Amino acid sequence: MGWIIAWAVVVFIMILLMTSVKVRFEYSDGLRLKINWLFITLVRIPAKNRKQKRRNKKTKKTAEAVAETEGADTKELSEKAADGSEEHKQTSGEEKKTAGDEKQKTGAEKKKLGIGLGDIWEIVKLVWDSLSKPLKRLLKATRFYGFSLRVVCGGEDAAKAALNYGRISAAAGMAQAFLEANFTMKKAEYDINVDFMSEKTMAECVFTAKLTPMAAVAFMFWVLGRAVKNYLQRDKAKAAIGKLRK
């Protein structure tokens, strides 16, 4: 009986890890974002009206309470300020001396550690080499469905509208190349037009992204394994991290 329960727990965990986290993004006249996992809504922008009203009421009450307390505290502070001004003058000189001593100590500690730009560079290379390949796999595991970008370029006159069209077209081309190279895109649409009669530039973007928690867990283990492997193979990185530990 016990092994049946254990297998049931394992199957349940696997189902949770294989169920995708869904991100729905819409932007036209405003931003709308919704992140779901199973039947749970993790993030919703904008929030529901009821929750927003409750938050507004709470913020009003807290603001009124803070205003009352600040009114009472300002009187006490003004009275204490006159008495404490003389004491502050006496202690300011001592604080400056202690601050100077602390700076000297920190400078001496840095000299003892001997951490230079070369050590920092070795640590940065270690982190990047450990993160680059797992990150690429994680991004490829992120799937975009129904990606649609529509932009209608306008301007104060025809010349500015044409200039905006050129800039936005170039930026959209770079964004398209980046997304298609790093993510898994399904039926992406890019529509960039120009309207010489309009003074404003209108933009709309809609997509649904999905990622399984299993891919995120695999990313974490892969990063950890590569970091340990690279650390063991690089003597300079070992020396730099050893200096930070001292």
Side-chain angles (χ1 to χ4, degrees):
M1 187 66 182
W3 65 270
I4 296 175
I5 296 173
W7 274 109
V9 172
V10 171
V11 170
F12 178 71
I13 293 173
M14 291 299 296
I15 291 172
L16 292 180
L17 293 176
M18 295 301 294
T19 304
S20 299
V21 177
K22 183 179 178 182
V23 179
R24 178 67 179 176
F25 177 87
E26 295 181 10
Y27 177 82
S28 54
D29 53 347
L31 175 63
R32 288 182 291 277
L33 178 66
K34 187 177 180 181
I35 303 176
N36 289 340
W37 185 46
L38 294 173
F39 305 103
I40 303 171
T41 301
L42 302 176
V43 177
R44 184 194 293 271
I45 300 174
K48 289 184 178 180
N49 294 329
R50 292 180 181 178
K51 292 182 179 179
Q52 193 65 32
K53 288 179 181 179
R54 291 176 184 174
R55 290 176 182 175
N56 292 335
K57 289 181 181 179
K58 289 181 180 179
T59 52
K60 286 181 181 179
K61 290 181 181 179
T62 53
E64 291 176 356
V66 169
E68 291 178 356
T69 54
E70 285 181 353
D73 293 337
T74 48
K75 293 181 180 179
E76 296 179 358
L77 291 172
S78 60
E79 293 176 356
K80 292 179 179 180
D83 298 334
S85 59
E86 295 179 357
E87 296 178 356
H88 179 70
K89 290 179 181 179
Q90 295 176 356
T91 56
S92 60
E94 295 178 356
E95 290 177 354
K96 288 180 180 178
K97 292 180 180 178
T98 54
D101 295 336
E102 288 178 356
K103 288 181 179 179
Q104 291 178 357
K105 289 180 181 179
T106 54
E109 289 176 355
K110 288 182 179 179
K111 290 180 180 178
K112 289 180 181 179
L113 291 174
I115 298 173
L117 293 176
D119 298 323
I120 296 172
W121 177 243
E122 290 297 329
I123 295 172
V124 170
K125 286 197 298 182
L126 176 66
V127 173
W128 175 247
D129 291 342
S130 302
L131 189 65
S132 58
K133 288 186 178 180
L135 182 60
K136 289 179 181 178
R137 285 208 171 193
L138 180 65
L139 295 180
K140 275 294 181 183
T142 306
R143 305 176 302 279
F144 282 80
Y145 297 91
F147 184 90
S148 176
L149 177 63
R150 302 181 185 278
V151 182
V152 179
C153 304
E156 296 178 358
D157 51 25
K160 290 184 178 180
L163 183 61
N164 290 335
Y165 174 74
R167 290 176 177 174
I168 293 174
S169 296
M174 294 174 64
Q176 181 180 0
F178 175 78
L179 291 173
E180 292 180 353
N182 295 283
F183 297 92
T184 301
M185 307 296 292
K186 304 287 186 180
K187 296 180 180 180
E189 296 181 359
Y190 303 87
D191 186 10
I192 314 296
N193 292 317
V194 60
D195 185 0
F196 294 105
M197 302 300 293
S198 176
E199 295 182 356
K200 296 181 180 180
T201 298
M202 307 298 292
E204 294 181 1
C205 183
V206 178
F207 66 82
T208 300
K210 293 183 180 180
L211 177 67
T212 59
M214 180 67 77
V217 173
F219 167 75
M220 292 171 58
F221 280 105
W222 201 345
V223 168
L224 181 61
R226 284 182 61 85
V228 173
K229 181 180 178 181
N230 291 334
Y231 174 76
L232 294 175
Q233 291 178 351
R234 296 187 179 182
D235 296 332
K236 291 182 180 180
K238 278 185 180 182
I241 293 174
K243 291 178 182 179
L244 290 175
R245 289 176 177 173
K246 291 179 180 179

